Amino acid sequence: MLIFFTRQLYILIKAGIPLLKALQIVAAQLPAGKFRIAAERLAGDIQEGKSFSEALSAAAQYFSLFYVNMIKAAEVTGNLTGILKELSEHLSSHRKIVRQVQAALLYPILVLLLSVSILLVLMVFVVPVFVRIFQDLGGSMPPTTLFLMNISNLLIHWSWLFVLILAALAISAILVYRNSRRGRYFISGLIWSLPLFGRILKLLEISRLCRTLGTLLSSGVTLVKGLDVLIETTPGIILQEALQDIRLKIEQGKSLSAGMEEAGIFPLTLVRMIQVGEESGKIAELFLEAARDYEEEVSFAVNGMLSLLEPILIVVMGSVVGFIVISLFFPIFTISGLVK
């Protein structure tokens, strides 16, 4: 909805329609719901004499601090059309890359959930039937079949305990993440260190930072104010603390690139790009260029991860299912001898 709202507003204002009339037209096009009510309230606030940024601030659940500050910059510079276009492109780019990463993460999660479900059905319902049949025939079971039988019994009789332990661990992790800054830092660091996924998520956060700060700076927002917006809107605690340190160092007289280098979490290439930007006065352009580069890198990493995960998941799950099938059917081969 936000992208549609911003895009339509940009088109109408570019066509010369006044802001109030443009808001009323866009609100009328929105489907019934809370966002439409918020858009109609925006038009009402502006009609009462409020500025656009003030009206947006009153609907903070739909319009982020980044969005509001971009509009404030537009009010100062008088370039509402250009900034609405930048906002639309920024939101579209961010949604595209986030959806790509979500799809990449969703695929292996769904495959694992399906595989685990199949394994649980085999272990809880199929294995006990085969074991009882073989025991009734009086044969001695091979070690692999005994192993499956023990795992099956464990799942049947103690599954509630496993579920309880997992639920307790999940609730504890959520509480620690929400209530402890150190816990949030530890969990965020753990996520960044995950194989395959960690690097992609880190690049995604850094690309978002670059695009957001580059868009703010190119719209006329000062560097310190842009960092304030990033600190408020960045969800990752690691980047958030790094930005706070960088802002403090800038106030102490250090350069942005020096603060980024001392933070130790930004790629050296990015630091050197910003150093060049400081010397040439083109920080905003280089942040936006870096954002495009990192978004492409995320896209390549996602495609590479999927091409790597597919055969790995197939081999692993095929091996597990194959082990179960062999362990179950190997004793059956001796049933005919037992019957005779």
Side-chain angles (χ1 to χ4, degrees):
M1 283 295 118
L2 184 59
I3 296 175
F4 174 80
F5 171 86
T6 306
R7 184 68 182 172
Q8 292 301 308
L9 194 60
Y10 157 70
I11 292 171
L12 292 171
I13 291 178
K14 184 181 178 182
I17 298 174
L19 176 60
L20 177 58
K21 183 64 176 177
L23 282 170
Q24 292 170 341
I25 293 172
V26 175
Q29 296 179 48
L30 294 171
K34 293 182 178 180
F35 191 83
R36 178 172 180 170
I37 295 172
E40 291 171 346
R41 191 177 294 121
L42 287 177
D45 289 343
I46 290 174
Q47 197 166 19
E48 291 174 2
K50 289 184 180 181
S51 68
F52 191 17
S53 60
E54 288 174 339
L56 290 171
S57 298
Q61 67 270 37
Y62 300 110
F63 302 97
S64 66
L65 185 61
F66 163 73
Y67 199 104
V68 173
N69 275 274
M70 288 286 288
I71 298 301
K72 281 183 181 179
E75 291 169 344
V76 172
T77 61
N79 185 26
L80 182 58
T81 305
I83 286 181
L84 283 172
K85 182 181 179 182
E86 289 185 17
L87 269 171
S88 176
E89 292 173 352
H90 171 88
L91 294 171
S92 298
S93 298
H94 181 65
R95 182 180 66 175
K96 179 182 177 181
I97 193 69
V98 167
R99 284 186 173 179
Q100 188 176 14
V101 172
Q102 287 175 342
L105 295 176
L106 187 63
Y107 171 77
I109 289 173
L110 288 177
V111 171
L112 286 174
L113 287 176
L114 181 61
S115 302
V116 169
S117 301
I118 293 172
L119 290 177
L120 286 175
V121 170
L122 287 174
M123 297 301 293
V124 174
F125 298 104
V126 178
V127 170
V129 173
F130 276 82
V131 170
R132 281 197 300 270
I133 292 174
F134 195 72
Q135 285 177 332
D136 291 342
L137 293 174
S140 60
M141 288 180 288
T144 55
T145 309
L146 285 172
F147 173 76
L148 285 181
M149 182 184 70
N150 293 330
I151 296 295
S152 177
N153 289 333
L154 194 65
L155 289 173
I156 291 171
H157 297 101
W158 296 99
S159 57
W160 62 271
L161 181 60
F162 291 129
V163 172
L164 191 63
I165 291 173
L166 288 174
L169 289 174
I171 292 171
S172 299
I174 292 171
L175 291 176
V176 167
Y177 185 82
R178 286 183 176 178
N179 302 324
S180 168
R181 195 171 186 87
R182 182 176 296 179
R184 290 175 63 195
Y185 198 93
F186 172 77
I187 292 174
S188 296
L190 189 64
I191 292 173
W192 275 15
S193 63
L194 290 174
L196 299 178
F197 299 104
R199 179 172 174 272
I200 291 175
L201 295 176
K202 181 179 179 180
L203 286 175
L204 182 64
E205 286 196 49
I206 291 177
S207 69
R208 178 185 177 276
L209 180 150
C210 291
R211 181 167 290 281
T212 302
L213 189 55
T215 304
L216 286 168
L217 294 175
S218 65
S219 302
V221 177
T222 64
L223 177 58
V224 173
K225 183 62 179 177
L227 289 173
D228 286 337
V229 172
L230 277 175
I231 291 168
E232 290 291 328
T233 57
T234 298
I237 185 67
I238 297 177
L239 272 180
Q240 193 179 86
E241 289 193 350
L243 290 169
Q244 289 172 344
D245 291 339
I246 291 170
R247 189 191 185 284
L248 181 62
K249 287 169 183 174
I250 288 174
E251 290 180 339
Q252 294 171 350
K254 290 188 177 181
S255 66
L256 175 60
S257 59
M260 292 174 65
E261 187 169 7
E262 290 177 15
I265 63 171
F266 297 99
L268 188 58
T269 305
L270 176 61
V271 174
R272 294 293 175 256
M273 282 180 68
I274 301 309
Q275 189 174 18
V276 172
E278 288 172 328
E279 295 171 356
S280 62
K282 297 181 178 180
I283 299 179
E285 291 90 335
L286 288 175
F287 265 121
L288 291 173
E289 184 179 338
R292 287 188 290 270
D293 290 341
Y294 286 123
E295 285 167 358
E296 287 183 8
E297 192 171 347
V298 167
S299 180
F300 288 137
V302 166
N303 293 331
M305 183 188 68
L306 287 177
S307 62
L308 182 64
L309 276 177
E310 287 181 11
I312 290 177
L313 289 173
I314 291 172
V315 170
V316 171
M317 297 314 303
S319 300
V320 173
V321 172
F323 173 78
I324 293 175
V325 170
I326 291 172
S327 299
L328 290 178
F329 283 91
F330 180 73
I332 293 178
F333 295 150
T334 62
I335 287 180
S336 58
L338 292 173
V339 172
K340 293 178 182 178

